[in-house]
Amino acid sequence: MSLTVALADPKSPVNTFFDEHLPHHEPFIRPWLKTLLRRPRGNPMPASPAPNIIGAAIEFRIGFDLAKSFPYAALAGDISLTAGIDAFRSLGYEPSTGSGELSMWQKVASDNDRDTSNDHDQQFAATRLCWQMAYLESIAYELPKTELNTPENLTAFWTHLRTEPSSEAVQVLLELWRRYLGPARSTLTGFGDPIAIRPTFANRFAAGDLLLGRTLIEVKCELRPENSLPRTLRQVLACALADSDDELSIESIGVYHAYEGSIVHWPLARALASLSATGHASLPELRARFADTVATERRSIEERRR
């Protein structure tokens, strides 16, 4: 997404917008950092191979857990060519009557059945599927200008590749899943039924991770999240501000830290007021200004690509 590119450039129009309108992040981040540093990390985990894939895989797993209708269907469809469509039952889904399309599958496990942490085979199957989806997505992202990056060619490529996660990757993901179960899961489900899994904003300029009720949640999987809190904050705020017509009625924002199993969240209006250069923030006004920023950012990115 273009937002990722923009946030990586300190002088981008997006970062300039935050520097000008919402600069006071230090007092906001300080208690967030204390919360993270107090949080026990649980059992030691092996070094994570390809941390970006691990992060995407646990995001997929959480999305599958919270959704009612099958999410990520297009990407999962490519994986099903080698894994088999029935493998997705390990994630708690079943096909609806008369349709084998993954997009039509529904969550069928009850609240009492959804924790299958003691079923090793089922847990391994779910972990494997989410890792493979993350791996295939990373190929599509890394090769945006090649012939491989078309749905048909990616499908053919994956059919022949049949890549499997390492034992270390499986161990890491299983431990991250265990840390998610319990308080973190209860908090996330308490926000309300998912309105969207991976909602997109401003004509795909940005993508969020989870919209639960009226709370937008970013999932982060970093061994040292404290090093990137300002950027993480800008990422979730940018998504909320990019909903310029308030179609999703976002009232709160938050971040789930997978290694810590910890959630932080704030009312959007209060966060904007705390961060504002003036101490007062008008959400409609900030959204209008951010819409102009997105247009400028798009032009800047296109110019750099030429």
Side-chain angles (χ1 to χ4, degrees):
M1 293 292 171
S2 300
L3 177 61
T4 304
V5 177
L7 290 173
D9 178 2
K11 297 182 179 180
S12 70
V14 165
N15 279 317
T16 300
F17 168 89
F18 281 106
D19 290 340
E20 179 179 351
H21 298 291
L22 300 168
H24 297 317
H25 58 79
E26 283 299 332
F28 188 88
I29 286 174
R30 199 174 298 121
W32 179 6
L33 177 59
K34 288 181 179 178
T35 298
L36 285 177
L37 294 178
R38 286 197 304 263
R39 187 77 178 185
R41 288 176 177 257
N43 299 327
M45 289 191 286
S48 171
N52 61 314
I53 297 177
I54 294 293
I58 195 61
E59 177 197 323
F60 287 140
R61 187 74 196 277
I62 292 170
F64 277 122
D65 181 58
L66 295 172
K68 305 301 183 185
S69 298
F70 197 95
Y72 322 113
L75 187 60
D78 291 332
I79 303 300
S80 71
L81 295 173
T82 56
I85 197 167
D86 287 344
F88 287 91
R89 286 186 167 90
S90 67
L91 295 163
Y93 289 83
E94 292 285 348
S96 59
T97 303
S99 176
E101 293 289 330
L102 281 171
S103 61
M104 302 299 292
W105 284 37
Q106 300 290 318
K107 177 67 69 61
V108 296
S110 69
D111 288 340
N112 291 332
D113 296 334
R114 287 169 66 186
D115 181 359
T116 56
S117 58
N118 293 323
D119 186 334
H120 179 270
D121 291 342
Q122 189 166 357
Q123 285 301 303
F124 177 82
T127 298
R128 175 178 178 268
L129 287 170
C130 292
W131 185 93
Q132 288 180 327
M133 288 173 59
Y135 183 83
L136 183 58
E137 184 181 56
S138 74
I139 295 171
Y141 179 78
E142 294 292 340
L143 303 172
K145 297 180 181 179
T146 71
E147 294 180 357
L148 188 60
N149 190 28
T150 67
E152 296 79 12
N153 289 344
L154 273 173
T155 297
F157 174 79
W158 181 256
T159 302
H160 290 92
L161 188 64
R162 299 175 183 269
T163 298
E164 297 288 335
S166 67
S167 59
E168 290 82 3
V170 171
Q171 290 179 50
V172 170
L173 286 168
L174 288 175
E175 178 61 26
L176 292 175
W177 175 247
R178 283 191 287 268
R179 294 181 188 187
Y180 161 76
L181 298 174
R185 183 199 233 177
S186 297
T187 299
L188 290 174
T189 56
F191 290 134
D193 287 341
I195 303 301
I197 302 293
R198 277 203 173 174
T200 60
F201 303 90
N203 193 24
R204 299 186 64 80
F205 175 79
D209 290 337
L210 305 167
L211 181 63
L212 307 173
R214 295 186 176 183
T215 300
L216 182 66
I217 295 290
E218 192 70 24
V219 177
K220 287 296 180 184
C221 187
E222 301 166 311
L223 282 171
R224 293 195 170 275
E226 61 271 17
N227 295 336
S228 55
L229 294 187
R231 185 183 184 281
T232 296
L233 179 61
R234 289 186 174 190
Q235 184 177 359
V236 69
L237 278 171
C239 290
L241 292 175
D243 185 26
S244 56
D245 295 328
D246 198 27
E247 292 181 0
L248 299 178
S249 301
I250 298 168
E251 294 183 352
S252 299
I253 57 171
V255 181
Y256 173 63
H257 293 282
Y259 276 105
E260 292 76 11
S262 175
I263 300 171
V264 291
H265 56 95
W266 315 271
L268 177 59
R270 191 176 76 189
L272 294 174
S274 298
L275 296 163
S276 171
T278 63
H280 302 281
S282 164
L283 179 56
E285 182 178 341
L286 285 171
R287 280 178 164 161
R289 291 181 177 180
F290 194 68
D292 293 337
T293 299
V294 169
T296 302
E297 190 70 70
R298 280 200 167 104
R299 290 193 295 269
S300 176
I301 291 173
E302 287 301 318
E303 289 172 1
R304 290 198 297 269
R305 287 174 175 170
R306 291 183 188 133

